Amino acid sequence: MKAHTRQATPARKAARFLAAALLAAACLLPGVARAQALTLSYANFPPAPTFPCVQMERWAEEVRARTQGKVEIQTYPGSTLLGAKNMWSGVIQGQADIGCISMAYQPGVFPMMNVFEQPLGFSSATAASQALWALYAAHKPEEFSRVKVLTLFASAPSNIMCKEPVTSLDQLKGMELRGSGGASQVLELLGATPVSMPASDTPEALQKGLIKGVLSSFDWLKDFNFAEYLKYQTVTNFVVYPFAVIMNLDKWNALPDDVKAVFDGLSAEQAEWTGRYLDAHVQESLDWSREKYGIEVIELPQAELDKAEAALAVMIDAWKKSAEAKGVPADQILAEVKALRQKYDK
Ligand code: 3IO
């Protein structure tokens, strides 16, 4: 036994070394896993409580869960990394890996997808978001070729939130109201004075008295606390605002295939989730605003709504012309969007 032990000494040393090595490796493993976890930055422009940021946190949670922690998403709400105006270029240049844009802030940049800023009669954020993703997935338009599109969604139909009661279209004449893109054109055509700015700049403009109100969806009343200042809500159900969540192309191309599959698998689902969240939240926002600030909700007579619809019809022709000039088969796209609205908007 003794001789055997003596002879086995080098082997025992080797075994001890191996055990130590294994222990060290075991201790290191969590560290290694953590070091390998990929962190991506995700920039957003409006404040954290607003729906574009709520959907961002939901997406980040889903990514963490579906990649088993392999991918960590660091979120930056409230323009802390990129603001509304430099979101598009900032993501293309890589200042943020992922960013959320409101397409209305870049008129002319998205000739095909701008069809969603036209008065098409979508009645919910859910239907508009589903249609938006479906149209994008079917065409993968050139206008987004410099980025990876992770998901798309739309606001709920837009309504007038105002310091003064708007009970007829005539009252809009010369009134300074905030809107962007398609919503801004709507205001113009109805005789108001549109003041274009990103959602994130609006609280200050209102405080300074530069505008009397806004044209956007009713989630604003609660999430920007506008119910405190804007007591009169006129239900118009005008255009929606389309959004895109975009990713830097080099960062996307460098992702492992399994992570790409997780992101792609989330796109359509995230669009629908966001629409459903917002539609429910708009209701919540109205109820909260009634309860807390006693807001007044004004319904326009049908004749007024018909008059507005007639006045806005020129927008679609204008979109067609500008889209065709950029090589978009506008009639075909319009027909597809109308079919998608029929499918999703019940
Ligand atoms: C919007 C934008 C940021 C935060 C909440 C929001 N709800 C509806 C919108 C759409 C809009 O007005 C815009 O400018 O994108």
Side-chain angles (χ1 to χ4, degrees), residues 45-46 50-52 102 105 155 178 198-199 216-217 219-220 224 241 243:
F45 63 95
T50 62
F51 90 93
S102 175
Y105 304 170
S155 76
R178 176 270 168 188
S216 189
S217 47
D219 48 300
W220 283 52
F224 284 97
Y241 286 81
F243 289 73

Side-chain angles (χ1 to χ4, degrees), residues 120-151:
L120 303 171
F122 278 99
S123 70
S124 72
T126 308
S129 299
Q130 288 176 299
L132 196 55
W133 180 258
L135 187 79
Y136 175 79
H139 295 277
K140 298 280 171 74
E142 172 68 22
E143 62 212 48
F144 279 105
S145 61
R146 294 164 77 194
V147 295
K148 165 69 183 180
V149 176
L150 295 177
T151 192

Side-chain angles (χ1 to χ4, degrees), residues 249-298:
L249 209 50
D250 291 337
K251 281 282 179 154
W252 166 260
N253 288 331
L255 288 179
D257 285 346
D258 58 336
V259 174
K260 282 183 176 167
V262 167
F263 285 15
D264 279 338
L266 262 164
S267 299
E269 178 191 319
Q270 183 71 15
E272 183 178 349
W273 186 93
T274 305
R276 289 196 192 287
Y277 166 79
L278 184 58
D279 285 329
H281 189 64
V282 158
Q283 228 23 72
E284 223 176 277
S285 172
L286 279 170
D287 293 344
W288 178 90
S289 304
R290 268 198 205 93
E291 178 109 333
K292 183 152 181 171
Y293 294 112
I295 55 151
E296 192 179 318
V297 178
I298 301 160

Side-chain angles (χ1 to χ4, degrees), residues 37-316:
L38 177 67
T39 300
L40 298 172
S41 60
Y42 188 154
N44 220 325
F45 63 95
T50 62
F51 90 93
C53 292
V54 172
Q55 73 76 35
M56 168 172 76
E57 296 301 335
R58 188 267 175 182
W59 187 85
E61 273 305 313
E62 289 300 321
V63 165
R64 270 174 217 127
R66 294 180 195 196
T67 62
Q68 281 90 38
K70 195 165 150 186
V71 177
E72 175 58 29
I73 306 295
Q74 181 113 42
T75 59
Y76 296 87
S79 301
T80 45
L81 181 57
L82 287 172
K85 292 282 190 180
N86 58 3
M87 189 66 70
W88 174 245
S89 57
V91 171
I92 289 172
Q93 289 161 18
Q95 288 160 268
D97 300 323
I98 300 169
C100 173
I101 60 164
S102 175
M103 293 182 212
Y105 304 170
Q106 276 100 358
V109 174
F110 310 110
M112 186 190 291
M113 299 311 280
N114 278 151
V115 69
F116 281 91
E117 288 179 58
Q118 310 313 314
L120 303 171
F122 278 99
S123 70
S124 72
T126 308
S129 299
Q130 288 176 299
L132 196 55
W133 180 258
L135 187 79
Y136 175 79
H139 295 277
K140 298 280 171 74
E142 172 68 22
E143 62 212 48
F144 279 105
S145 61
R146 294 164 77 194
V147 295
K148 165 69 183 180
V149 176
L150 295 177
T151 192
L152 298 163
F153 51 81
S155 76
S158 52
N159 298 291
I160 299 167
M161 295 162 256
C162 196
K163 286 182 184 172
E164 298 167 11
V166 175
T167 56
S168 75
L169 297 178
D170 278 347
Q171 283 170 297
L172 291 174
K173 293 272 177 303
M175 188 184 268
E176 283 100 353
L177 294 172
R178 176 270 168 188
S180 273
S184 195
Q185 287 172 43
V186 167
L187 292 170
E188 181 101 59
L189 287 167
L190 297 179
T193 301
V195 185
S196 291
M197 68 184 80
S200 36
D201 292 351
T202 309
E204 200 184 319
L206 199 61
Q207 223 100 76
K208 287 184 175 164
L210 298 174
I211 49 173
K212 285 242 166 68
V214 302
L215 178 59
S216 189
S217 47
F218 280 143
D219 48 300
W220 283 52
L221 294 173
K222 184 170 193 231
D223 301 338
F224 284 97
N225 201 43
F226 275 5
E228 188 178 353
Y229 316 97
L230 307 179
K231 287 268 154 54
Y232 301 97
Q233 323 309 331
T234 302
V235 179
T236 52
N237 288 320
F238 288 151
V239 295
V240 300
Y241 286 81
F243 289 73
V245 178
I246 54 170
M247 182 169 181
N248 178 275
L249 209 50
D250 291 337
K251 281 282 179 154
W252 166 260
N253 288 331
L255 288 179
D257 285 346
D258 58 336
V259 174
K260 282 183 176 167
V262 167
F263 285 15
D264 279 338
L266 262 164
S267 299
E269 178 191 319
Q270 183 71 15
E272 183 178 349
W273 186 93
T274 305
R276 289 196 192 287
Y277 166 79
L278 184 58
D279 285 329
H281 189 64
V282 158
Q283 228 23 72
E284 223 176 277
S285 172
L286 279 170
D287 293 344
W288 178 90
S289 304
R290 268 198 205 93
E291 178 109 333
K292 183 152 181 171
Y293 294 112
I295 55 151
E296 192 179 318
V297 178
I298 301 160
E299 302 276 354
L300 290 175
Q302 191 56 46
E304 287 291 280
L305 293 173
D306 292 346
K307 223 168 92 185
E309 196 179 325
L312 300 182
V314 296
M315 279 177 72
I316 296 182

